[in-house]
Amino acid sequence: MKRIMTIQDISCLGRCSLTVALPILSVMGHETVILPTAVLSTHTQFSDFTFRDLTEDLMPIASHWKKENFKFDAIYTGYLGSDEQIEIVKNYFEMFANDDRTLRIVDPAMGDNGKLYVGFDEAFAKKMAGLCGKADIILPNLTEAAFMLGLDYQAQGYSEEYIKDVLRRLCDLGAKKAVLTGVSFHEKELGVMAYDAASDTFESYFNEWLPVSFHGTGDCFASCFAGAVLQGKSVYESFKLAADFIVACLKCTLADPDHHDYGVNFEEVLPMLAPTGGK
Ligand code: PXL
């Protein structure tokens, strides 16, 4: 069994960050070690929320784990609340992922639809770019990529060459592979394009474009992707599975007459991710 450490907040209600990462990684068959960076009443897309910062606990936890000599097959990071937390994650990479065994996956979860989430600014995005530079695989959406690279956000109407240029620049930050989500070259399609700097190759996968948007889909995508890579799937197979998982989540959410818009009904789709196929 693989052991993955995931570093992100607990938004108690909101179907994002650790409340989706833990069940997704567990159902995919991995021992999942969580490092909660903060506890919020909800995610920050609500007009109000509580925020208990756990920054001061993070290094003591690292020291304990180091003393116990725990090893990890992957470290996957999501939403981080401050510059200081980004620096602490760099320490975690140094302490627990300074060999070839441990895969570093960074989802720079900090914005969507051309805007950064509440509490973040361009300086934070630049710090996140620094963390991405230390990763094996990064998973930005187009908004996060634009902020990290200092580019104007282009919602649509861009060419394949533009996206390839963005992907090359993302890997120029230092990441070995970049998987860019929310890419669309045709009105009816939405998908993923990825770049592997070592082989200088691009891969892409598209699904039907559903005219809806729910929070938390980026976290579901990243968790499923990380789980699939850890199962030994290729990067392409992993982002294909994650994209199909998100489409299935969106369809289930829309089919639920009582659905909420703060997150997706991923629970109904979890069995599709089990190594046994839910049997
Ligand atoms: O889904 C990303 C996310 C995670 N954690 C918190 C958030 C958000 C998005 O807004 O606010 C606390």
Side-chain angles (χ1 to χ4, degrees), residues 9 11 16-17 40 42-45 79 109 117 215-216 219:
D9 68 279
S11 289
C16 70
S17 41
L40 295 83
T42 64
H43 57 55
T44 63
Q45 308 292 318
Y79 181 99
Y117 298 142
H215 300 303
D219 299 351

Side-chain angles (χ1 to χ4, degrees), residues 193-214:
M193 191 158 185
Y195 179 59
D196 180 337
S199 60
D200 192 26
T201 50
F202 295 91
E203 290 174 316
S204 56
Y205 178 71
F206 295 92
N207 265 311
E208 62 185 297
W209 185 77
L210 298 170
V212 286
S213 169
F214 291 97

Side-chain angles (χ1 to χ4, degrees), residues 44 84 103 108 117 135 139 160 224 242 269:
T44 63
E84 197 182 345
L103 197 67
Y117 298 142
L139 306 168
E160 197 171 311
C224 181
V269 197

